[in-house]
Coordinates of all heavy atoms in Angstrom, one line a residue:
S356 N 7.9 28.4 -44.8 CA 7.2 29.3 -43.9 C 5.7 29.1 -43.9 O 5.1 29.6 -43.0 CB 7.6 30.7 -44.1 OG 7.0 31.2 -45.3
F357 N 5.2 28.5 -44.9 CA 3.7 28.2 -44.9 C 3.4 26.9 -44.1 O 4.2 26.0 -44.1 CB 3.2 28.1 -46.3 CG 3.2 29.4 -47.0 CD1 4.1 29.7 -48.0 CD2 2.2 30.3 -46.7 CE1 4.1 30.9 -48.7 CE2 2.1 31.5 -47.4 CZ 3.1 31.9 -48.4
T358 N 2.3 26.9 -43.5 CA 1.8 25.7 -42.8 C 0.8 25.0 -43.7 O 0.1 25.7 -44.5 CB 1.3 25.9 -41.4 OG1 0.2 26.8 -41.5 CG2 2.3 26.6 -40.5
S359 N 0.6 23.7 -43.5 CA -0.4 23.0 -44.2 C -1.8 23.4 -43.8 O -2.0 23.8 -42.6 CB -0.2 21.5 -44.1 OG -0.3 21.1 -42.7
A360 N -2.8 23.3 -44.7 CA -4.1 23.7 -44.4 C -4.8 22.8 -43.3 O -4.5 21.6 -43.4 CB -5.0 23.7 -45.6
V361 N -5.5 23.3 -42.4 CA -6.2 22.5 -41.4 C -7.7 22.8 -41.6 O -8.1 23.9 -41.6 CB -5.8 22.9 -40.0 CG1 -6.5 22.2 -38.9 CG2 -4.3 22.7 -39.8
A362 N -8.4 21.7 -41.7 CA -9.9 21.8 -41.8 C -10.5 22.4 -40.6 O -10.1 22.1 -39.5 CB -10.5 20.5 -42.1
P363 N -11.5 23.3 -40.7 CA -12.2 23.8 -39.5 C -12.9 22.8 -38.8 O -13.4 21.8 -39.4 CB -13.1 24.9 -40.1 CG -13.3 24.5 -41.5 CD -12.1 23.7 -42.0
K364 N -13.0 22.9 -37.5 CA -13.8 22.0 -36.7 C -14.7 22.8 -35.8 O -14.4 23.9 -35.4 CB -12.9 21.0 -35.9 CG -12.0 21.7 -34.8 CD -11.2 20.7 -34.1 CE -10.4 21.4 -33.0 NZ -9.6 20.4 -32.2
F365 N -15.8 22.2 -35.5 CA -16.8 22.8 -34.7 C -17.1 21.9 -33.4 O -17.2 20.7 -33.6 CB -18.1 23.0 -35.4 CG -18.0 23.9 -36.6 CD1 -17.7 23.3 -37.9 CD2 -18.0 25.2 -36.5 CE1 -17.6 24.1 -39.0 CE2 -17.9 26.1 -37.6 CZ -17.7 25.5 -38.8
E366 N -17.2 22.5 -32.3 CA -17.4 21.8 -31.1 C -18.7 22.3 -30.4 O -19.0 23.5 -30.4 CB -16.3 22.0 -30.1 CG -14.9 21.5 -30.5 CD -13.8 21.8 -29.6 OE1 -14.1 22.2 -28.4 OE2 -12.7 21.7 -30.0
N367 N -19.5 21.3 -29.9 CA -20.7 21.7 -29.2 C -20.3 22.1 -27.8 O -19.6 21.4 -27.1 CB -21.7 20.5 -29.1 CG -22.3 20.3 -30.5 OD1 -22.5 21.2 -31.2 ND2 -22.7 19.1 -30.7
I368 N -20.8 23.2 -27.4 CA -20.5 23.7 -26.0 C -21.8 23.5 -25.2 O -22.9 23.8 -25.6 CB -20.2 25.2 -26.0 CG1 -18.9 25.4 -26.9 CG2 -20.0 25.7 -24.6 CD1 -18.6 26.9 -27.1
K369 N -21.6 22.9 -24.0 CA -22.7 22.7 -23.1 C -23.3 24.0 -22.7 O -22.6 24.9 -22.4 CB -22.3 21.9 -21.9 CG -21.9 20.5 -22.3 CD -21.5 19.6 -21.1 CE -21.1 18.2 -21.5 NZ -20.8 17.4 -20.4
P370 N -24.7 24.1 -22.6 CA -25.3 25.4 -22.2 C -25.1 25.7 -20.8 O -24.9 24.8 -20.0 CB -26.8 25.1 -22.5 CG -26.9 23.6 -22.5 CD -25.6 23.1 -23.0
V371 N -25.1 26.9 -20.5 CA -25.0 27.4 -19.1 C -26.3 28.1 -18.7 O -26.8 28.9 -19.5 CB -23.8 28.4 -18.9 CG1 -23.8 29.0 -17.5 CG2 -22.5 27.8 -19.4
Y372 N -26.9 27.7 -17.6 CA -28.2 28.2 -17.2 C -28.0 29.1 -16.0 O -27.1 28.9 -15.1 CB -29.1 27.1 -16.8 CG -29.4 26.1 -18.0 CD1 -28.8 24.9 -18.0 CD2 -30.2 26.5 -19.0 CE1 -29.0 24.0 -19.1 CE2 -30.4 25.7 -20.1 CZ -29.8 24.4 -20.1 OH -30.0 23.6 -21.2
Y373 N -28.9 30.1 -15.9 CA -28.9 31.1 -14.8 C -30.3 31.2 -14.2 O -31.3 31.1 -14.9 CB -28.5 32.5 -15.2 CG -27.0 32.5 -15.7 CD1 -26.7 32.2 -17.0 CD2 -26.0 32.9 -14.8 CE1 -25.4 32.2 -17.4 CE2 -24.7 32.9 -15.2 CZ -24.4 32.6 -16.5 OH -23.1 32.6 -16.9
F374 N -30.4 31.4 -12.8 CA -31.6 31.7 -12.1 C -31.5 33.1 -11.6 O -30.4 33.6 -11.3 CB -31.8 30.8 -10.9 CG -32.5 29.5 -11.2 CD1 -32.1 28.4 -10.5 CD2 -33.4 29.3 -12.2 CE1 -32.7 27.1 -10.7 CE2 -34.0 28.1 -12.5 CZ -33.6 27.0 -11.8
E375 N -32.6 33.8 -11.6 CA -32.6 35.2 -11.0 C -33.0 35.0 -9.5 O -34.1 34.6 -9.2 CB -33.5 36.1 -11.7 CG -33.5 37.5 -11.2 CD -34.4 38.5 -12.0 OE1 -35.0 38.0 -13.0 OE2 -34.5 39.6 -11.6
I376 N -32.1 35.4 -8.6 CA -32.4 35.3 -7.2 C -32.1 36.7 -6.6 O -31.0 37.2 -6.7 CB -31.5 34.3 -6.5 CG1 -31.6 32.9 -7.1 CG2 -31.8 34.2 -5.0 CD1 -30.6 31.9 -6.7
N377 N -33.1 37.3 -6.0 CA -33.0 38.7 -5.4 C -32.4 39.7 -6.4 O -31.5 40.4 -6.1 CB -32.1 38.6 -4.1 CG -32.8 37.7 -3.1 OD1 -34.0 37.6 -3.0 ND2 -31.9 37.0 -2.3
N378 N -33.0 39.7 -7.6 CA -32.5 40.6 -8.7 C -31.1 40.5 -9.1 O -30.5 41.4 -9.6 CB -32.8 42.1 -8.2 CG -34.3 42.4 -8.1 OD1 -35.1 41.8 -8.8 ND2 -34.6 43.2 -7.1
Q379 N -30.5 39.3 -8.9 CA -29.2 39.0 -9.3 C -29.2 37.6 -10.1 O -29.9 36.7 -9.6 CB -28.2 38.9 -8.2 CG -27.9 40.2 -7.5 CD -26.9 40.0 -6.4 OE1 -26.6 38.9 -5.9 NE2 -26.3 41.1 -6.0
F380 N -28.5 37.6 -11.1 CA -28.4 36.3 -11.9 C -27.3 35.4 -11.3 O -26.2 35.9 -11.1 CB -28.2 36.6 -13.4 CG -29.4 37.2 -14.1 CD1 -29.4 38.5 -14.3 CD2 -30.4 36.4 -14.4 CE1 -30.5 39.1 -14.9 CE2 -31.5 36.9 -15.0 CZ -31.6 38.3 -15.3
V381 N -27.7 34.2 -11.0 CA -26.8 33.2 -10.4 C -26.7 32.0 -11.3 O -27.7 31.5 -11.8 CB -27.3 32.8 -9.0 CG1 -26.4 31.8 -8.4 CG2 -27.5 34.0 -8.1
K382 N -25.5 31.6 -11.6 CA -25.3 30.4 -12.5 C -25.8 29.2 -11.8 O -25.6 29.0 -10.6 CB -23.8 30.3 -12.7 CG -23.4 29.2 -13.7 CD -21.9 29.2 -14.0 CE -21.6 28.0 -14.8 NZ -20.1 27.9 -15.1
V383 N -26.5 28.4 -12.5 CA -27.1 27.1 -11.9 C -26.0 26.1 -11.9 O -25.4 25.7 -12.9 CB -28.3 26.6 -12.8 CG1 -28.7 25.3 -12.3 CG2 -29.4 27.6 -12.8
P384 N -25.6 25.6 -10.7 CA -24.6 24.6 -10.6 C -25.1 23.2 -11.2 O -26.3 23.0 -11.1 CB -24.3 24.5 -9.1 CG -25.4 25.0 -8.5 CD -26.1 26.0 -9.4
K385 N -24.2 22.4 -11.6 CA -24.6 21.1 -12.2 C -24.9 20.1 -11.0 O -25.6 19.1 -11.2 CB -23.6 20.6 -13.1 CG -23.4 21.4 -14.3 CD -22.4 20.9 -15.3 CE -22.3 21.8 -16.5 NZ -21.3 21.4 -17.4
N386 N -24.4 20.4 -9.9 CA -24.5 19.5 -8.7 C -25.8 19.9 -8.0 O -26.1 21.1 -7.7 CB -23.4 19.7 -7.8 CG -23.4 18.8 -6.6 OD1 -24.4 18.3 -6.2 ND2 -22.3 18.6 -5.9
T387 N -26.7 18.9 -7.8 CA -28.0 19.2 -7.2 C -27.9 19.7 -5.8 O -28.7 20.7 -5.4 CB -28.8 17.9 -7.2 OG1 -28.9 17.3 -8.5 CG2 -30.2 18.1 -6.7
K388 N -27.0 19.3 -5.0 CA -26.8 19.8 -3.6 C -26.5 21.2 -3.6 O -27.0 22.0 -2.8 CB -25.8 18.9 -2.9 CG -26.3 17.6 -2.5 CD -25.2 16.8 -1.8 CE -25.7 15.4 -1.5 NZ -24.7 14.6 -0.7
D389 N -25.6 21.6 -4.5 CA -25.2 23.0 -4.6 C -26.4 23.9 -5.0 O -26.5 25.0 -4.5 CB -24.0 23.2 -5.6 CG -22.7 22.6 -5.1 OD1 -22.6 22.4 -3.8 OD2 -21.8 22.4 -5.9
L390 N -27.2 23.4 -5.9 CA -28.3 24.1 -6.4 C -29.3 24.3 -5.2 O -29.8 25.4 -5.0 CB -29.0 23.4 -7.5 CG -30.4 24.0 -8.0 CD1 -30.1 25.4 -8.6 CD2 -31.0 23.1 -9.0
I391 N -29.6 23.3 -4.5 CA -30.5 23.4 -3.3 C -30.0 24.4 -2.3 O -30.8 25.1 -1.7 CB -30.7 22.0 -2.7 CG1 -31.5 21.1 -3.7 CG2 -31.4 22.0 -1.4 CD1 -31.5 19.6 -3.3
N392 N -28.7 24.4 -2.0 CA -28.1 25.3 -1.0 C -28.2 26.8 -1.4 O -28.1 27.6 -0.5 CB -26.6 24.9 -0.8 CG -26.5 23.6 0.0 OD1 -27.4 23.3 0.8 ND2 -25.4 22.9 -0.2
Q393 N -28.4 27.1 -2.7 CA -28.6 28.5 -3.1 C -30.0 29.0 -2.6 O -30.1 30.2 -2.5 CB -28.5 28.6 -4.6 CG -27.1 28.4 -5.1 CD -27.0 28.7 -6.6 OE1 -28.0 28.8 -7.3 NE2 -25.8 28.8 -7.1
F394 N -30.9 28.1 -2.3 CA -32.2 28.5 -1.9 C -32.4 28.1 -0.4 O -33.2 27.2 -0.1 CB -33.3 27.9 -2.7 CG -33.2 28.3 -4.2 CD1 -32.6 27.4 -5.1 CD2 -33.7 29.5 -4.6 CE1 -32.5 27.8 -6.4 CE2 -33.6 29.8 -6.0 CZ -33.0 29.0 -6.9
A395 N -31.7 28.8 0.5 CA -31.6 28.4 1.9 C -33.0 28.4 2.5 O -33.3 27.5 3.3 CB -30.6 29.3 2.6
E396 N -33.8 29.4 2.2 CA -35.1 29.5 2.9 C -36.1 28.4 2.5 O -36.9 28.1 3.3 CB -35.7 30.9 2.7 CG -36.1 31.2 1.2 CD -34.9 31.7 0.4 OE1 -33.8 32.0 0.9 OE2 -35.1 31.8 -0.9
N397 N -36.0 27.9 1.3 CA -36.9 26.8 0.9 C -36.2 25.5 0.6 O -36.6 24.7 -0.2 CB -37.7 27.3 -0.4 CG -38.5 28.5 -0.2 OD1 -38.9 28.8 1.0 ND2 -38.7 29.3 -1.2
K398 N -35.1 25.3 1.3 CA -34.2 24.2 1.0 C -34.9 22.9 1.0 O -34.8 22.1 0.1 CB -33.0 24.3 2.0 CG -31.9 23.4 1.8 CD -30.9 23.6 2.8 CE -29.7 22.8 2.7 NZ -28.6 23.1 3.7
D399 N -35.6 22.6 2.1 CA -36.3 21.3 2.2 C -37.4 21.0 1.2 O -37.5 20.0 0.6 CB -36.9 21.1 3.6 CG -35.8 21.2 4.7 OD1 -34.6 20.8 4.4 OD2 -36.1 21.6 5.8
E400 N -38.2 22.1 0.9 CA -39.2 22.0 -0.1 C -38.7 21.7 -1.5 O -39.2 20.9 -2.2 CB -40.1 23.2 -0.1 CG -40.9 23.5 1.1 CD -41.5 24.9 1.1 OE1 -41.7 25.4 0.0 OE2 -41.9 25.3 2.2
I401 N -37.6 22.4 -1.8 CA -37.0 22.3 -3.2 C -36.4 20.9 -3.3 O -36.5 20.2 -4.3 CB -36.0 23.4 -3.4 CG1 -36.7 24.7 -3.5 CG2 -35.2 23.1 -4.7 CD1 -35.8 25.9 -3.6
A402 N -35.7 20.4 -2.3 CA -35.1 19.1 -2.3 C -36.1 18.0 -2.5 O -35.9 17.1 -3.2 CB -34.3 18.9 -1.0
A403 N -37.2 18.2 -1.8 CA -38.3 17.2 -1.9 C -38.9 17.2 -3.3 O -39.2 16.2 -3.9 CB -39.4 17.5 -0.8
F404 N -39.1 18.4 -3.9 CA -39.7 18.5 -5.2 C -38.7 17.9 -6.2 O -39.2 17.2 -7.1 CB -39.9 20.0 -5.6 CG -40.5 20.2 -6.9 CD1 -41.8 20.0 -7.1 CD2 -39.7 20.6 -8.0 CE1 -42.4 20.2 -8.4 CE2 -40.2 20.8 -9.2 CZ -41.6 20.6 -9.4
I405 N -37.4 18.1 -6.1 CA -36.5 17.5 -7.1 C -36.5 16.0 -7.0 O -36.5 15.3 -8.0 CB -35.1 18.1 -6.8 CG1 -35.0 19.6 -7.2 CG2 -34.0 17.3 -7.6 CD1 -33.7 20.3 -6.9
K406 N -36.5 15.5 -5.7 CA -36.5 14.1 -5.5 C -37.8 13.4 -6.0 O -37.8 12.4 -6.7 CB -36.2 13.8 -4.1 CG -36.0 12.3 -3.8 CD -35.6 12.1 -2.3 CE -35.4 10.6 -2.1 NZ -34.9 10.3 -0.7
S407 N -38.9 14.0 -5.6 CA -40.2 13.4 -6.0 C -40.5 13.4 -7.5 O -41.1 12.5 -8.0 CB -41.4 14.0 -5.3 OG -41.5 15.4 -5.7
N408 N -39.9 14.4 -8.2 CA -40.1 14.5 -9.6 C -39.0 13.9 -10.4 O -39.0 14.0 -11.7 CB -40.4 15.9 -10.0 CG -41.8 16.4 -9.5 OD1 -42.8 15.9 -10.0 ND2 -41.8 17.3 -8.6
K409 N -37.9 13.5 -9.7 CA -36.7 12.9 -10.4 C -36.1 13.9 -11.4 O -35.8 13.5 -12.5 CB -37.0 11.5 -11.0 CG -37.5 10.5 -10.0 CD -37.8 9.2 -10.7 CE -38.4 8.2 -9.7 NZ -38.7 6.9 -10.3
L410 N -35.9 15.1 -11.0 CA -35.4 16.1 -11.8 C -33.9 16.0 -11.9 O -33.2 15.7 -11.0 CB -35.8 17.5 -11.3 CG -37.3 17.8 -11.2 CD1 -37.5 19.3 -10.7 CD2 -38.0 17.6 -12.5
K411 N -33.4 16.4 -13.1 CA -31.9 16.4 -13.3 C -31.5 17.9 -13.6 O -32.2 18.6 -14.4 CB -31.5 15.6 -14.5 CG -31.8 14.1 -14.2 CD -31.3 13.3 -15.4 CE -31.6 11.8 -15.1 NZ -31.2 11.0 -16.2
T412 N -30.5 18.4 -12.9 CA -30.1 19.8 -13.0 C -29.4 20.1 -14.3 O -29.0 21.2 -14.5 CB -29.3 20.2 -11.8 OG1 -28.1 19.4 -11.7 CG2 -30.1 20.2 -10.5
T413 N -29.2 19.1 -15.1 CA -28.5 19.3 -16.4 C -29.5 19.3 -17.6 O -29.1 19.6 -18.7 CB -27.5 18.1 -16.6 OG1 -28.2 16.9 -16.6 CG2 -26.4 18.2 -15.6
Q414 N -30.8 19.1 -17.3 CA -31.8 19.1 -18.3 C -32.6 20.4 -18.3 O -33.1 20.8 -17.2 CB -32.7 17.9 -18.1 CG -32.1 16.6 -18.2 CD -31.5 16.3 -19.6 OE1 -32.2 16.5 -20.6 NE2 -30.3 15.7 -19.6
E415 N -32.7 21.0 -19.4 CA -33.4 22.3 -19.5 C -34.8 22.2 -19.1 O -35.4 23.1 -18.3 CB -33.3 22.9 -20.9 CG -33.9 24.3 -21.1 CD -33.7 24.9 -22.4 OE1 -33.1 24.2 -23.3 OE2 -34.2 26.0 -22.7
V416 N -35.5 21.2 -19.5 CA -36.9 21.0 -19.2 C -37.1 20.9 -17.7 O -38.0 21.4 -17.1 CB -37.5 19.7 -19.9 CG1 -38.9 19.4 -19.5 CG2 -37.4 19.8 -21.4
D417 N -36.2 20.1 -17.0 CA -36.3 20.0 -15.6 C -36.0 21.3 -14.8 O -36.7 21.6 -13.8 CB -35.4 18.9 -15.1 CG -35.8 17.5 -15.5 OD1 -36.9 17.3 -16.0 OD2 -34.9 16.6 -15.5
L418 N -35.1 22.1 -15.4 CA -34.8 23.4 -14.7 C -36.0 24.3 -14.9 O -36.3 25.1 -14.0 CB -33.5 24.0 -15.3 CG -32.2 23.3 -15.0 CD1 -31.1 23.8 -15.7 CD2 -32.0 23.4 -13.5
I419 N -36.7 24.2 -16.0 CA -37.9 25.1 -16.2 C -39.0 24.7 -15.2 O -39.6 25.5 -14.5 CB -38.4 25.0 -17.6 CG1 -37.4 25.6 -18.6 CG2 -39.8 25.6 -17.8 CD1 -37.7 25.4 -20.0
R420 N -39.2 23.4 -15.0 CA -40.2 22.9 -14.0 C -39.8 23.4 -12.6 O -40.6 23.8 -11.8 CB -40.3 21.4 -14.0 CG -41.0 20.9 -15.2 CD -41.0 19.4 -15.3 NE -41.8 18.9 -14.1 CZ -41.8 17.6 -13.7 NH1 -41.1 16.7 -14.4 NH2 -42.5 17.2 -12.7
L421 N -38.5 23.3 -12.3 CA -38.0 23.7 -11.0 C -38.2 25.2 -10.8 O -38.6 25.7 -9.7 CB -36.5 23.4 -10.8 CG -35.9 23.8 -9.5 CD1 -36.6 23.1 -8.3 CD2 -34.4 23.4 -9.5
A422 N -37.9 26.0 -11.8 CA -38.1 27.5 -11.7 C -39.6 27.8 -11.5 O -39.9 28.7 -10.7 CB -37.6 28.1 -13.0
K423 N -40.5 27.1 -12.2 CA -41.9 27.4 -12.0 C -42.3 27.0 -10.6 O -43.1 27.8 -10.0 CB -42.7 26.6 -13.0 CG -42.6 27.1 -14.4 CD -43.5 26.2 -15.4 CE -43.4 26.8 -16.8 NZ -44.1 25.9 -17.7
F424 N -41.8 26.0 -10.0 CA -42.1 25.6 -8.6 C -41.6 26.6 -7.7 O -42.3 27.0 -6.7 CB -41.4 24.2 -8.3 CG -41.6 23.8 -6.9 CD1 -42.8 23.4 -6.4 CD2 -40.5 23.9 -6.0 CE1 -42.9 23.0 -5.1 CE2 -40.6 23.6 -4.7 CZ -41.9 23.1 -4.2
I425 N -40.4 27.1 -7.9 CA -39.8 28.1 -7.0 C -40.5 29.4 -7.0 O -40.7 30.1 -6.0 CB -38.3 28.3 -7.3 CG1 -37.5 27.0 -7.0 CG2 -37.7 29.5 -6.6 CD1 -36.1 27.0 -7.5
N426 N -41.0 29.8 -8.2 CA -41.7 31.1 -8.4 C -43.1 31.1 -7.9 O -43.8 32.1 -7.9 CB -41.6 31.6 -9.8 CG -40.2 32.0 -10.2 OD1 -39.4 32.4 -9.4 ND2 -39.9 31.7 -11.5
K427 N -43.6 30.0 -7.4 CA -45.0 29.9 -7.0 C -45.2 30.7 -5.7 O -44.4 30.9 -4.9 CB -45.5 28.5 -6.7 CG -45.8 27.8 -8.0 CD -46.3 26.4 -7.6 CE -46.7 25.7 -8.9 NZ -47.2 24.4 -8.7

């Protein structure tokens, strides 16, 4: 009735990022197009900023740069 011992294992979980939009927290999608569509009023400016700075929506540093740009 006893089972053999199993060694514990640890898994790295990918971080989840959120932006605050209109006093609501919105999960940041990993897809760049979906992220741009969340900001409908500044869609073209944000798309140009991401492209010109070669930002990746999966990198924390790039998301911080994007948040600073959006909050200007």
Side-chain angles (χ1 to χ4, degrees):
S356 72
F357 289 105
T358 59
S359 60
V361 177
K364 64 179 181 177
F365 299 95
E366 296 178 15
N367 287 332
I368 300 174
K369 293 184 179 181
V371 178
Y372 300 105
Y373 292 87
F374 277 148
E375 184 178 357
I376 304 172
N377 299 326
N378 295 324
Q379 293 183 340
F380 289 100
V381 179
K382 184 178 176 182
V383 175
K385 294 180 182 178
N386 184 339
T387 304
K388 288 182 183 179
D389 292 340
L390 175 64
I391 293 168
N392 288 332
Q393 287 184 347
F394 300 97
E396 62 278 353
N397 300 331
K398 189 176 182 179
D399 295 332
E400 294 173 18
I401 293 172
F404 180 78
I405 290 173
K406 188 173 182 178
S407 66
N408 291 291
K409 299 179 183 178
L410 301 181
K411 294 183 180 179
T412 57
T413 56
Q414 299 293 318
E415 183 175 359
V416 176
D417 291 346
L418 289 173
I419 291 170
R420 288 179 63 195
L421 180 60
K423 287 180 182 178
F424 174 77
I425 292 169
N426 289 329
K427 284 186 179 180

